Amino acid sequence: MTDRKDTGFYIGYHPKAPGSYRKTLVVSVMVITAAVLVTACILAISQHPFSRNVFEFGTLTTIEGTLTMDPVPRLLTGPADQPTSVLLVGFGKCGAEATLEAIENQEHAVLDGREIALRGTLIYGEGKTLMELTEGTGSWGGIIGEGRHALTFESVGNRTISGKIIDPKCYFGVMKPGEGKTHRSCAIRCISGGIPPVFKTADGQFILLQHETISLSSALLAYVDDLITINGVLGQSGDWLVMEVDPGSILPGIVAQ
């Protein structure tokens, strides 16, 4: 029997592939492997750093402080002249207002401005702390006395600022990632549910948008996670910056100032 010629044609049951076929296969595998490795490296390098913000899932903490509802629900703790704000949010994609109103009805008392105790799940990162009222009305820990803290809105004037609207509950630890296009629909539902919208600027500052009317949140939903420019009165409220925004001032993109 004569040896089979290397014609380049190969049938699987032959014990050995022709030399030209083997060379083509080896080169193809090497090229594909190199392309996969390069693509993987590019994707890894292009990813945002993993968030170090924390959600203490499964751990309940009790905090005592002065409840303030203006402009959004917060528990004020620490020194009376320099309090720390714990931003309150509800369980799931809800704000804290409904839970606090239910507690007021349960206790037949006005809680705004009172020193109270609340139990919930802490969310924190980047110098900010939030508490989820995980147990609903079961988060209630009682009235301690009259409030020790008082906040004022200290205006720093009219400002035009560019950035993105995010929801603070997810961003500060509940979801990872808590921002970006993949999180857009979640953020829209959170803000729709009453969680205060936060404005993240290019330099990393976070500005709480004050709820003056229901239409403010509605106007913001179309712009969640888009780069926009807003104009309004910027001020300090405790350890949060607050901007009173006119929905009509929202412009897409960065506007030259």
Short mmCIF file of all heavy atoms in Angstrom, two decimals, residues 48 92-93 164-191 195-196 198 221 223-226:
data_model
loop_
_atom_site.label_atom_id
_atom_site.label_comp_id
_atom_site.label_asym_id
_atom_site.label_seq_id
_atom_site.Cartn_x
_atom_site.Cartn_y
_atom_site.Cartn_z
N HIS A 48 -14.88 49.82 36.22
CA HIS A 48 -14.78 50.75 37.35
C HIS A 48 -14.26 50.01 38.58
O HIS A 48 -14.50 48.81 38.74
CB HIS A 48 -16.15 51.34 37.66
CG HIS A 48 -16.67 52.25 36.60
ND1 HIS A 48 -16.09 53.46 36.31
CD2 HIS A 48 -17.71 52.12 35.73
CE1 HIS A 48 -16.75 54.05 35.32
NE2 HIS A 48 -17.73 53.25 34.96
N GLY A 92 -36.82 48.00 50.98
CA GLY A 92 -37.05 47.88 49.54
C GLY A 92 -36.81 49.19 48.83
O GLY A 92 -35.95 49.98 49.22
N LYS A 93 -37.59 49.44 47.80
CA LYS A 93 -37.40 50.65 46.99
C LYS A 93 -38.37 51.74 47.43
O LYS A 93 -39.15 52.26 46.64
CB LYS A 93 -37.60 50.30 45.51
CG LYS A 93 -36.61 49.25 45.02
CD LYS A 93 -36.79 48.96 43.55
CE LYS A 93 -35.84 47.86 43.12
NZ LYS A 93 -34.44 48.18 43.36
N LYS A 164 -24.48 63.59 37.58
CA LYS A 164 -25.46 62.54 37.31
C LYS A 164 -26.36 62.33 38.52
O LYS A 164 -25.92 62.43 39.66
CB LYS A 164 -24.76 61.22 36.96
CG LYS A 164 -24.02 61.24 35.64
CD LYS A 164 -23.45 59.86 35.32
CE LYS A 164 -22.76 59.85 33.96
NZ LYS A 164 -22.24 58.49 33.63
N ILE A 165 -27.61 62.00 38.27
CA ILE A 165 -28.56 61.69 39.33
C ILE A 165 -28.47 60.21 39.66
O ILE A 165 -28.52 59.36 38.77
CB ILE A 165 -30.00 62.03 38.90
CG1 ILE A 165 -30.12 63.54 38.65
CG2 ILE A 165 -31.01 61.59 39.95
CD1 ILE A 165 -31.38 63.92 37.93
N ILE A 166 -28.31 59.90 40.94
CA ILE A 166 -28.25 58.52 41.41
C ILE A 166 -29.19 58.36 42.61
O ILE A 166 -29.64 59.35 43.17
CB ILE A 166 -26.82 58.11 41.82
CG1 ILE A 166 -26.32 59.04 42.94
CG2 ILE A 166 -25.87 58.12 40.63
CD1 ILE A 166 -24.96 58.63 43.51
N ASP A 167 -29.49 57.12 42.97
CA ASP A 167 -30.23 56.92 44.21
C ASP A 167 -29.24 56.52 45.29
O ASP A 167 -28.41 55.64 45.10
CB ASP A 167 -31.34 55.89 44.04
CG ASP A 167 -30.84 54.46 44.15
OD1 ASP A 167 -30.45 53.91 43.10
OD2 ASP A 167 -30.84 53.91 45.26
N PRO A 168 -29.28 57.18 46.46
CA PRO A 168 -28.25 56.98 47.48
C PRO A 168 -28.29 55.61 48.14
O PRO A 168 -27.25 55.10 48.56
CB PRO A 168 -28.53 58.10 48.49
CG PRO A 168 -29.99 58.39 48.32
CD PRO A 168 -30.27 58.20 46.86
N LYS A 169 -29.46 55.02 48.25
CA LYS A 169 -29.55 53.73 48.95
C LYS A 169 -28.71 52.68 48.25
O LYS A 169 -27.90 51.98 48.88
CB LYS A 169 -31.00 53.27 49.04
CG LYS A 169 -31.15 51.94 49.77
CD LYS A 169 -32.61 51.54 49.96
CE LYS A 169 -32.71 50.23 50.73
NZ LYS A 169 -34.12 49.83 50.94
N CYS A 170 -28.88 52.56 46.96
CA CYS A 170 -28.11 51.56 46.21
C CYS A 170 -26.65 51.98 46.06
O CYS A 170 -25.74 51.17 46.22
CB CYS A 170 -28.73 51.34 44.84
SG CYS A 170 -30.32 50.49 44.91
N TYR A 171 -26.43 53.27 45.79
CA TYR A 171 -25.06 53.72 45.53
C TYR A 171 -24.15 53.54 46.73
O TYR A 171 -23.00 53.14 46.60
CB TYR A 171 -25.06 55.20 45.11
CG TYR A 171 -23.66 55.72 44.86
CD1 TYR A 171 -23.02 55.46 43.66
CD2 TYR A 171 -22.97 56.44 45.84
CE1 TYR A 171 -21.73 55.92 43.44
CE2 TYR A 171 -21.68 56.88 45.63
CZ TYR A 171 -21.06 56.61 44.42
OH TYR A 171 -19.77 57.05 44.21
N PHE A 172 -24.66 53.84 47.92
CA PHE A 172 -23.81 53.78 49.11
C PHE A 172 -23.67 52.39 49.70
O PHE A 172 -23.12 52.24 50.79
CB PHE A 172 -24.31 54.77 50.17
CG PHE A 172 -23.99 56.20 49.84
CD1 PHE A 172 -24.98 57.07 49.46
CD2 PHE A 172 -22.68 56.65 49.88
CE1 PHE A 172 -24.68 58.40 49.14
CE2 PHE A 172 -22.37 57.97 49.56
CZ PHE A 172 -23.36 58.84 49.19
N GLY A 173 -24.14 51.36 48.99
CA GLY A 173 -23.81 50.02 49.46
C GLY A 173 -24.76 48.90 49.19
O GLY A 173 -24.36 47.73 49.19
N VAL A 174 -26.05 49.19 48.95
CA VAL A 174 -27.01 48.09 48.81
C VAL A 174 -26.81 47.32 47.51
O VAL A 174 -26.98 46.10 47.47
CB VAL A 174 -28.46 48.61 48.92
CG1 VAL A 174 -29.47 47.52 48.59
CG2 VAL A 174 -28.71 49.14 50.32
N MET A 175 -26.44 48.01 46.44
CA MET A 175 -26.20 47.35 45.16
C MET A 175 -24.77 47.63 44.69
O MET A 175 -24.23 48.70 44.94
CB MET A 175 -27.19 47.87 44.11
CG MET A 175 -28.63 47.60 44.43
SD MET A 175 -29.09 45.86 44.32
CE MET A 175 -29.09 45.62 42.55
N LYS A 176 -24.20 46.65 44.01
CA LYS A 176 -22.88 46.82 43.41
C LYS A 176 -22.91 46.20 42.01
O LYS A 176 -22.93 44.98 41.90
CB LYS A 176 -21.81 46.17 44.28
CG LYS A 176 -21.67 46.84 45.65
CD LYS A 176 -20.57 46.24 46.48
CE LYS A 176 -20.48 46.95 47.84
NZ LYS A 176 -19.39 46.44 48.67
N PRO A 177 -22.93 47.01 40.94
CA PRO A 177 -22.81 48.48 40.98
C PRO A 177 -24.13 49.15 41.36
O PRO A 177 -25.20 48.64 41.06
CB PRO A 177 -22.42 48.83 39.55
CG PRO A 177 -23.09 47.76 38.72
CD PRO A 177 -22.99 46.51 39.56
N GLY A 178 -24.00 50.30 42.03
CA GLY A 178 -25.16 51.09 42.41
C GLY A 178 -25.33 52.30 41.53
O GLY A 178 -26.03 53.26 41.89
N GLU A 179 -24.72 52.28 40.36
CA GLU A 179 -24.86 53.36 39.38
C GLU A 179 -24.55 52.79 38.00
O GLU A 179 -24.22 51.62 37.86
CB GLU A 179 -23.89 54.51 39.72
CG GLU A 179 -22.43 54.11 39.67
CD GLU A 179 -21.51 55.29 39.88
OE1 GLU A 179 -21.85 56.41 39.47
OE2 GLU A 179 -20.42 55.09 40.46
N GLY A 180 -24.67 53.61 36.99
CA GLY A 180 -24.39 53.16 35.63
C GLY A 180 -25.66 52.72 34.91
O GLY A 180 -26.74 52.60 35.51
N LYS A 181 -25.54 52.48 33.62
CA LYS A 181 -26.69 52.13 32.79
C LYS A 181 -27.34 50.83 33.24
O LYS A 181 -28.55 50.65 33.12
CB LYS A 181 -26.26 52.02 31.32
CG LYS A 181 -25.73 53.33 30.73
CD LYS A 181 -26.72 54.47 30.88
CE LYS A 181 -26.19 55.78 30.30
NZ LYS A 181 -27.11 56.91 30.55
N THR A 182 -26.53 49.88 33.75
CA THR A 182 -27.10 48.61 34.20
C THR A 182 -27.98 48.79 35.44
O THR A 182 -28.81 47.94 35.74
CB THR A 182 -25.99 47.60 34.53
OG1 THR A 182 -25.11 48.16 35.52
CG2 THR A 182 -25.18 47.28 33.30
N HIS A 183 -27.79 49.90 36.14
CA HIS A 183 -28.55 50.14 37.37
C HIS A 183 -29.64 51.18 37.17
O HIS A 183 -30.41 51.46 38.09
CB HIS A 183 -27.59 50.62 38.48
CG HIS A 183 -28.25 50.80 39.80
ND1 HIS A 183 -28.59 52.04 40.30
CD2 HIS A 183 -28.66 49.90 40.72
CE1 HIS A 183 -29.16 51.90 41.48
NE2 HIS A 183 -29.23 50.62 41.76
N ARG A 184 -29.76 51.71 35.99
CA ARG A 184 -30.68 52.83 35.73
C ARG A 184 -32.12 52.52 36.13
O ARG A 184 -32.77 53.30 36.82
CB ARG A 184 -30.60 53.19 34.24
CG ARG A 184 -31.55 54.30 33.83
CD ARG A 184 -31.52 54.51 32.32
NE ARG A 184 -32.53 55.44 31.89
CZ ARG A 184 -32.36 56.74 31.73
NH1 ARG A 184 -31.19 57.27 32.00
NH2 ARG A 184 -33.33 57.52 31.33
N SER A 185 -32.65 51.37 35.69
CA SER A 185 -34.05 51.05 35.97
C SER A 185 -34.29 50.90 37.47
O SER A 185 -35.34 51.29 37.98
CB SER A 185 -34.47 49.79 35.23
OG SER A 185 -33.69 48.68 35.62
N CYS A 186 -33.32 50.34 38.19
CA CYS A 186 -33.44 50.18 39.64
C CYS A 186 -33.47 51.55 40.32
O CYS A 186 -34.28 51.81 41.21
CB CYS A 186 -32.28 49.35 40.17
SG CYS A 186 -32.31 49.10 41.96
N ALA A 187 -32.58 52.45 39.89
CA ALA A 187 -32.53 53.79 40.48
C ALA A 187 -33.82 54.55 40.23
O ALA A 187 -34.31 55.28 41.10
CB ALA A 187 -31.34 54.57 39.90
N ILE A 188 -34.40 54.39 39.04
CA ILE A 188 -35.66 55.06 38.73
C ILE A 188 -36.76 54.59 39.67
O ILE A 188 -37.56 55.39 40.19
CB ILE A 188 -36.06 54.80 37.26
CG1 ILE A 188 -35.12 55.59 36.32
CG2 ILE A 188 -37.51 55.20 37.00
CD1 ILE A 188 -35.32 55.29 34.85
N ARG A 189 -36.82 53.28 39.94
CA ARG A 189 -37.84 52.76 40.85
C ARG A 189 -37.61 53.23 42.28
O ARG A 189 -38.56 53.51 43.01
CB ARG A 189 -37.87 51.22 40.77
CG ARG A 189 -38.45 50.69 39.47
CD ARG A 189 -38.78 49.22 39.57
NE ARG A 189 -37.59 48.41 39.70
CZ ARG A 189 -36.89 47.92 38.68
NH1 ARG A 189 -37.29 48.21 37.43
NH2 ARG A 189 -35.83 47.18 38.86
N CYS A 190 -36.33 53.31 42.69
CA CYS A 190 -36.03 53.79 44.04
C CYS A 190 -36.46 55.23 44.24
O CYS A 190 -37.09 55.59 45.24
CB CYS A 190 -34.54 53.64 44.33
SG CYS A 190 -34.00 51.93 44.64
N ILE A 191 -36.12 56.08 43.28
CA ILE A 191 -36.48 57.50 43.37
C ILE A 191 -37.99 57.67 43.28
O ILE A 191 -38.60 58.48 43.99
CB ILE A 191 -35.74 58.31 42.30
CG1 ILE A 191 -34.23 58.30 42.58
CG2 ILE A 191 -36.25 59.75 42.25
CD1 ILE A 191 -33.38 58.91 41.48
N ILE A 195 -37.22 57.50 47.71
CA ILE A 195 -35.84 57.63 48.18
C ILE A 195 -35.27 58.92 47.58
O ILE A 195 -35.34 59.13 46.37
CB ILE A 195 -35.00 56.41 47.77
CG1 ILE A 195 -35.53 55.17 48.50
CG2 ILE A 195 -33.53 56.62 48.08
CD1 ILE A 195 -34.87 53.87 48.08
N PRO A 196 -34.70 59.80 48.40
CA PRO A 196 -34.24 61.10 47.90
C PRO A 196 -33.18 60.95 46.81
O PRO A 196 -32.23 60.20 46.97
CB PRO A 196 -33.63 61.77 49.14
CG PRO A 196 -34.26 61.07 50.29
CD PRO A 196 -34.47 59.65 49.85
N VAL A 198 -29.93 61.87 44.66
CA VAL A 198 -28.66 62.51 44.98
C VAL A 198 -27.97 62.88 43.67
O VAL A 198 -28.05 62.14 42.68
CB VAL A 198 -27.77 61.56 45.81
CG1 VAL A 198 -26.31 62.01 45.81
CG2 VAL A 198 -28.29 61.49 47.24
N LEU A 221 -36.69 61.71 36.73
CA LEU A 221 -36.65 60.31 36.32
C LEU A 221 -36.13 60.12 34.90
O LEU A 221 -35.44 59.14 34.62
CB LEU A 221 -38.05 59.69 36.44
CG LEU A 221 -38.62 59.63 37.86
CD1 LEU A 221 -39.99 58.96 37.84
CD2 LEU A 221 -37.67 58.89 38.80
N TYR A 223 -33.84 61.65 33.51
CA TYR A 223 -32.41 61.97 33.41
C TYR A 223 -31.52 61.10 34.30
O TYR A 223 -30.32 61.35 34.39
CB TYR A 223 -32.18 63.43 33.79
CG TYR A 223 -32.91 64.42 32.91
CD1 TYR A 223 -34.11 64.99 33.33
CD2 TYR A 223 -32.42 64.78 31.66
CE1 TYR A 223 -34.79 65.91 32.54
CE2 TYR A 223 -33.09 65.68 30.86
CZ TYR A 223 -34.27 66.24 31.31
OH TYR A 223 -34.95 67.15 30.52
N VAL A 224 -32.08 60.10 34.97
CA VAL A 224 -31.29 59.28 35.89
C VAL A 224 -30.09 58.68 35.16
O VAL A 224 -30.23 58.07 34.11
CB VAL A 224 -32.16 58.17 36.51
CG1 VAL A 224 -31.29 57.18 37.28
CG2 VAL A 224 -33.19 58.78 37.45
N ASP A 225 -28.92 58.88 35.74
CA ASP A 225 -27.62 58.39 35.26
C ASP A 225 -27.17 59.01 33.94
O ASP A 225 -26.16 58.61 33.38
CB ASP A 225 -27.61 56.87 35.13
CG ASP A 225 -26.18 56.33 35.13
OD1 ASP A 225 -25.49 56.48 36.16
OD2 ASP A 225 -25.71 55.82 34.10
N ASP A 226 -27.89 60.03 33.43
CA ASP A 226 -27.41 60.78 32.28
C ASP A 226 -26.58 61.95 32.76
O ASP A 226 -26.85 62.51 33.83
CB ASP A 226 -28.58 61.29 31.44
CG ASP A 226 -29.32 60.18 30.72
OD1 ASP A 226 -28.71 59.11 30.51
OD2 ASP A 226 -30.50 60.38 30.37
#
